[in-house]
Amino acid sequence: MDPHPNRNRAAVLARALASAPTTRTALAEATGLSPATVSRMVDALIGEGLLQETAEVSSGRRGRRATLIEVVADGAVVAGVDLGASSTRIVLADLLGEPLHRRTCPTPTDRGAEGLATWLADEVVAAGRGLTDGLAAVAVGLPGAVRGEDRTVSSAPNLPQVEQPGFLDVLEKRLGPCLDLDNDSNYALLGEQRFGAARSARTAVMLTVGAGLGAGVALEGRLLRGRNGLVGEFGHLPVGPLGTPLEHLVTGSGIMRRAAELGMDIASPAALFAEDADGQLVAMRRHVEHALLVVLTAAVVSYEPDMIVLGGRIGRSLTPHLPELRENLRRIVPSAPPVVPAQLSDLSGALGAAVAALHRVYLGLGLADHDLVGVPSPRALGSAVGDGPVTGSGAES
Amino acid sequence: MDPHPNRNRAAVLARALASAPTTRTALAEATGLSPATVSRMVDALIGEGLLQETAEVSSGRRGRRATLIEVVADGAVVAGVDLGASSTRIVLADLLGEPLHRRTCPTPTDRGAEGLATWLADEVVAAGRGLTDGLAAVAVGLPGAVRGEDRTVSSAPNLPQVEQPGFLDVLEKRLGPCLDLDNDSNYALLGEQRFGAARSARTAVMLTVGAGLGAGVALEGRLLRGRNGLVGEFGHLPVGPLGTPLEHLVTGSGIMRRAAELGMDIASPAALFAEDADGQLVAMRRHVEHALLVVLTAAVVSYEPDMIVLGGRIGRSLTPHLPELRENLRRIVPSAPPVVPAQLSDLSGALGAAVAALHRVYLGLGLADHDLVGVPSPRALGSAVGDGPVTGSGAES
DNA sequence: CTCATCTGCTTTCAGACTGAACGTATTGAA
DNA sequence: TTCAATACGTTCAGTCTGAAAGCAGATGAG
């Protein structure tokens, strides 16, 4: 018996997933295995229906044409869900991570924990209706901290239902055992790393500045999940006057409260970042930006990321001020990485969740943990953001 | 050919290193390999001179007695060096990580880069004189940030010589290729994790508060080294008035400067933490402690460590105030881990460097990266801190 | 004392996997 | 046309592994 059963099989499959259409020779080179072994494994995987030969490639070079090998994309469909405090987004993707279907609906916040879970499960199942084999895995991003061990949720003030144990129970019963839960910021980072701004960054931090201050951290392509889902939550830093948490300084609710205290009347936090902001607003903006600078510095010196991605509503409003922000950051830490806005807008969470769901499937196919780094392969997202089936792909019915 | 050559051999060796005297049966259970394979590997390793059978164990149970297997401790000797701004410490250790010899000497700060390197190499070689095969590996901890890629050193204001390329060149030429360089705080953490306060903590942060503010971070037993050696350097956080770096608030020089500004005359930063401190001193202490609280919070939310170790001169002075500090930390982050003082005093850096040097040797023996977690096995340090050969062990001549 | 029994280790053996080498197919250049 | 170059597939000997059986040493019951 081989002590590492299916090890090479998994390695070949992992490489096939990573670089979508390949040849046997390229796989052999990438995996370091001998051509013989690769050929055998490819044959076996074709036999299992996981791989298929597509066309022959006319490489321009002379010699026998290589046969293109591809993962059978419709071998499985997964769902990624971003359960937000105001709206919920569902993305279906095939085995290669190509989005098939998108759907956005308002979150029924008036329901209780179990009612919300039932609703969500129904929505996911409805989105996946018509698929031959149902959903192979589902991942749900939540606006709160998820403990890795027992998947209990905490710190979800904006959607407290998800903290109750009944929520998870119902969801698990309805969607099956292949259910992944995590912080929405973690998934958002995963999404941006595969489809968005952080495609070139193996080590990256995503900061979601909006109603709350969330963070996702990936080191060398792997999400860093603390035991309590606290990782990157720099909002707790007691840097304000009298030890006020930093979170109170940069989030929407904090800004509104502070404005009220100062006797200012602003419609939304975005007013601070408008071009025609007046003196008092600019002063307040500078306060917010300084607090953000603390967070950015913390992110840099904590993880030395290749990139920092800013998301969330306020994060988006900050886009025009990013060059200045980065300049200030460089003054503090000269080796600071680029700070870029998120590219996937509100979909990064759902897309990242789909990636996480895919990882569950990949693990089920025998891939090792480290094979998941960079799989599915990063790519720009073709079609525009919007609901409905993606043009040209399946998702019939 | 096996594609994973010596994989099982390395696994067996790793387990033998991790749990010092074992039996073949225990190794089989720990590695998950079959008894047959373990026996074969053990025989091979004995043939290579890496393992030896020692005594038979009388387990009390009936049946054949198990033969104890041990790593041949004197198969190699490594040196760990802590090159501090004021004093330099050298530790020799055997293959099992047992300290053989310790030595402390003042650092000749008046020398240039190459002179310092020459002196250091001579000291290390002198310490290792009389060993049969010389030193198998040497690790040197430096008071500065070490880039992983090219091992250039930066941010070493207290010992600027080490930043010059000549320092590394000479050291490498004199001590051979098996030379590991890193931040002294990283090594200090490694030392505390093997021999000191953090023995039970796989994920831990070490903060060295003294002339500077240093940090070492280990995640799941592995040191987290950023590309630029910045990891954990929360001293850069611009949380003071006008964006002053936090480092200026808690380090010795910062405290002295601040005291001078306030017209206070104190002999040393330790005066702040004395029991008979008067009102003004206490107020200043509280400032320092709040800054430290920011650092601790940052450490907790960045990595969710199992433990935070405080070292350095000021860190030691803080010991009586730790319960209070931790209470405040818990108020900010309820799940905060214990904050404990370093146990190894000034030797943690050198001992950790010895561990790092051992890791180099282990890698040379075929161990995989993940085998190094928890190897050599954590243990309390028997003899007291002091110079000279350790009682009962070799280190002759 | 004898013998069953238990535990630890070793040997045997069949099976699986692997890489090196070789064979085959395809193309383009000479 | 011939040949070289490239890509792929296949054969084969070698290596490693675990299951099972066997050997070795120790204990305790009768």
Side-chain angles (χ1 to χ4, degrees):
Chain A
M1 286 293 159
D2 193 327
H4 319 296
N6 298 336
R7 220 185 130 71
N8 291 354
R9 194 197 81 122
V12 169
L13 182 53
R15 292 308 309 176
L17 284 164
S19 37
T22 356
T23 68
R24 290 176 171 82
T25 310
L27 286 174
E29 239 176 85
T31 57
L33 298 171
S34 70
T37 303
V38 171
S39 252
R40 263 189 301 265
M41 293 306 152
V42 167
D43 287 353
L45 288 166
I46 289 177
E48 292 177 47
L50 286 169
L51 293 184
Q52 61 185 352
E53 294 185 345
T54 52
E56 287 186 339
V57 64
S58 53
S59 57
R61 296 178 302 183
R62 57 195 199 167
R64 177 176 170 179
R65 288 178 182 164
T67 317
L68 278 184
I69 303 292
E70 254 187 337
V71 177
V72 177
D74 52 1
V77 176
V78 299
V81 181
D82 184 3
L83 184 63
S86 53
S87 57
T88 296
R89 292 177 176 81
I90 302 176
V91 168
L92 300 188
D94 65 20
L95 195 56
L96 269 169
E98 197 61 33
L100 301 175
H101 189 89
R102 295 162 190 175
R103 181 171 197 169
T104 304
C105 30
T107 304
T109 48
D110 53 340
R111 305 203 184 194
E114 288 162 25
L116 184 63
T118 306
W119 170 84
L120 182 62
D122 286 344
E123 288 290 326
V124 171
V125 169
R129 202 181 307 284
L131 299 171
T132 39
D133 299 326
L135 293 167
V138 180
V140 180
L142 302 174
V146 180
R147 291 185 50 154
E149 203 176 340
D150 49 5
R151 306 208 287 191
T152 51
V153 182
S154 58
S155 309
N158 295 320
L159 198 64
Q161 295 98 313
V162 300
E163 294 190 26
Q164 294 174 36
F167 177 79
L168 175 60
D169 291 343
V170 170
L171 213 57
E172 207 157 27
K173 197 191 300 171
R174 299 287 296 266
L175 292 178
C178 235
L179 176 65
D180 205 54
L181 284 188
D182 208 336
N183 185 308
D184 50 0
S185 290
N186 275 343
Y187 283 158
L189 173 58
L190 214 46
E192 292 287 341
Q193 277 192 312
R194 289 308 187 289
F195 305 112
R199 289 205 299 279
S200 62
R202 286 168 53 87
T203 297
V205 175
M206 170 133 196
L207 297 170
T208 315
V209 194
L213 176 59
V217 178
L219 301 180
E220 295 299 319
R222 296 184 210 204
L223 275 184
L224 178 64
R225 293 186 238 242
R227 231 198 329 270
N228 305 308
L230 267 184
V231 162
E233 299 293 327
F234 296 111
H236 291 103
L237 287 178
V239 297
L242 301 175
T244 319
L246 192 152
E247 185 162 25
H248 290 184
L249 308 179
V250 298
T251 58
S253 51
I255 290 175
M256 296 307 282
R257 192 186 321 142
R258 186 117 185 281
E261 284 170 11
L262 293 176
M264 296 162 63
D265 184 26
I266 57 177
S268 81
L272 261 65
F273 308 102
E275 286 199 20
D276 57 350
D278 67 356
Q280 204 175 8
L281 281 176
V282 168
M284 195 162 160
R285 194 194 86 206
R286 294 214 182 282
H287 261 281
V288 173
E289 284 182 1
H290 183 257
L292 199 62
L293 201 57
V294 173
V295 177
L296 292 174
T297 307
V300 172
V301 299
S302 292
Y303 314 112
E304 290 196 34
D306 303 320
M307 183 172 284
I308 297 179
V309 184
L310 273 187
R313 209 155 295 169
I314 296 184
R316 222 173 303 151
S317 310
L318 275 165
T319 305
H321 305 281
L322 279 187
E324 185 192 341
L325 202 56
R326 194 185 175 203
E327 196 181 321
N328 289 335
L329 182 59
R330 289 244 160 165
R331 210 165 292 146
I332 297 171
V333 192
S335 62
V339 180
V340 302
Q343 274 181 11
L344 304 177
S345 154
D346 298 323
L347 264 180
S348 51
L351 285 167
V355 172
L358 271 180
H359 284 182
R360 299 283 294 230
V361 177
Y362 293 158
L363 287 176
L365 291 176
L367 266 66
D369 218 47
H370 60 259
D371 288 329
L372 301 181
V373 176
V375 174
S377 59
R379 83 205 70 163
L381 219 53
S383 41
V385 173
D387 278 16
V390 177
T391 53
S393 283
E396 66 285 287
S397 145
Chain B
M1 289 291 162
D2 193 326
H4 318 298
N6 300 335
R7 220 186 129 71
N8 291 355
R9 192 196 83 121
V12 169
L13 182 53
R15 293 306 311 175
L17 284 165
S19 37
T22 357
T23 68
R24 291 176 170 83
T25 311
L27 285 174
E29 242 176 82
T31 56
L33 298 170
S34 70
T37 303
V38 171
S39 252
R40 267 188 294 259
M41 293 307 152
V42 167
D43 286 354
L45 288 165
I46 289 177
E48 293 178 47
L50 286 169
L51 294 184
Q52 61 185 350
E53 296 185 342
T54 52
E56 289 186 337
V57 64
S58 53
S59 58
R61 298 177 300 186
R62 64 187 196 171
R64 178 177 172 179
R65 287 177 182 164
T67 316
L68 279 184
I69 303 292
E70 254 186 337
V71 176
V72 177
D74 52 1
V77 175
V78 301
V81 180
D82 184 3
L83 183 62
S86 54
S87 57
T88 296
R89 290 178 177 81
I90 302 177
V91 168
L92 299 188
D94 66 20
L95 197 54
L96 271 168
E98 197 61 34
L100 301 176
H101 190 88
R102 297 164 188 171
R103 181 172 197 168
T104 305
C105 29
T107 305
T109 47
D110 53 341
R111 304 201 185 195
E114 288 162 27
L116 184 62
T118 305
W119 170 83
L120 182 61
D122 286 344
E123 288 289 326
V124 171
V125 168
R129 202 181 306 284
L131 299 170
T132 38
D133 297 328
L135 294 167
V138 180
V140 180
L142 302 175
V146 180
R147 292 185 51 154
E149 203 176 339
D150 50 4
R151 308 206 285 189
T152 51
V153 182
S154 58
S155 308
N158 296 319
L159 198 63
Q161 295 97 316
V162 301
E163 294 189 24
Q164 295 174 36
F167 178 77
L168 175 60
D169 290 344
V170 170
L171 214 56
E172 208 158 25
K173 198 191 300 172
R174 299 286 297 264
L175 292 178
C178 236
L179 176 65
D180 206 53
L181 284 188
D182 208 337
N183 185 309
D184 50 359
S185 290
N186 276 343
Y187 283 158
L189 173 58
L190 214 46
E192 292 287 339
Q193 278 192 311
R194 289 308 186 290
F195 305 111
R199 289 206 299 279
S200 62
R202 285 166 54 87
T203 297
V205 175
M206 170 135 195
L207 297 170
T208 313
V209 193
L213 176 58
V217 178
L219 301 180
E220 296 298 319
R222 295 185 211 203
L223 276 184
L224 177 64
R225 292 185 237 241
R227 231 197 330 266
N228 305 308
L230 266 183
V231 162
E233 299 293 327
F234 296 112
H236 290 104
L237 287 177
V239 298
L242 302 174
T244 319
L246 192 151
E247 186 162 25
H248 291 182
L249 308 179
V250 297
T251 58
S253 51
I255 289 175
M256 296 305 284
R257 192 186 320 141
R258 187 119 185 280
E261 284 169 13
L262 294 176
M264 297 162 62
D265 184 28
I266 58 177
S268 81
L272 262 64
F273 309 101
E275 287 199 19
D276 58 350
D278 66 355
Q280 204 176 6
L281 281 176
V282 168
M284 196 161 160
R285 194 193 85 207
R286 294 212 182 284
H287 262 281
V288 173
E289 284 182 1
H290 183 258
L292 199 61
L293 202 57
V294 173
V295 177
L296 291 174
T297 307
V300 172
V301 301
S302 292
Y303 314 112
E304 290 196 35
D306 304 319
M307 183 172 286
I308 297 179
V309 184
L310 272 187
R313 211 156 292 171
I314 296 184
R316 223 174 301 151
S317 311
L318 276 165
T319 305
H321 305 281
L322 278 187
E324 185 193 341
L325 203 55
R326 192 183 176 203
E327 196 182 321
N328 288 334
L329 182 59
R330 289 241 158 166
R331 210 166 292 146
I332 297 171
V333 191
S335 62
V339 180
V340 301
Q343 274 181 12
L344 303 178
S345 153
D346 297 324
L347 264 179
S348 51
L351 285 167
V355 172
L358 271 179
H359 284 182
R360 299 283 294 231
V361 176
Y362 293 159
L363 288 175
L365 291 175
L367 266 68
D369 218 46
H370 61 258
D371 288 328
L372 300 180
V373 175
V375 173
S377 59
R379 82 204 69 162
L381 220 53
S383 41
V385 173
D387 277 16
V390 177
T391 53
S393 284
E396 64 286 287
S397 145

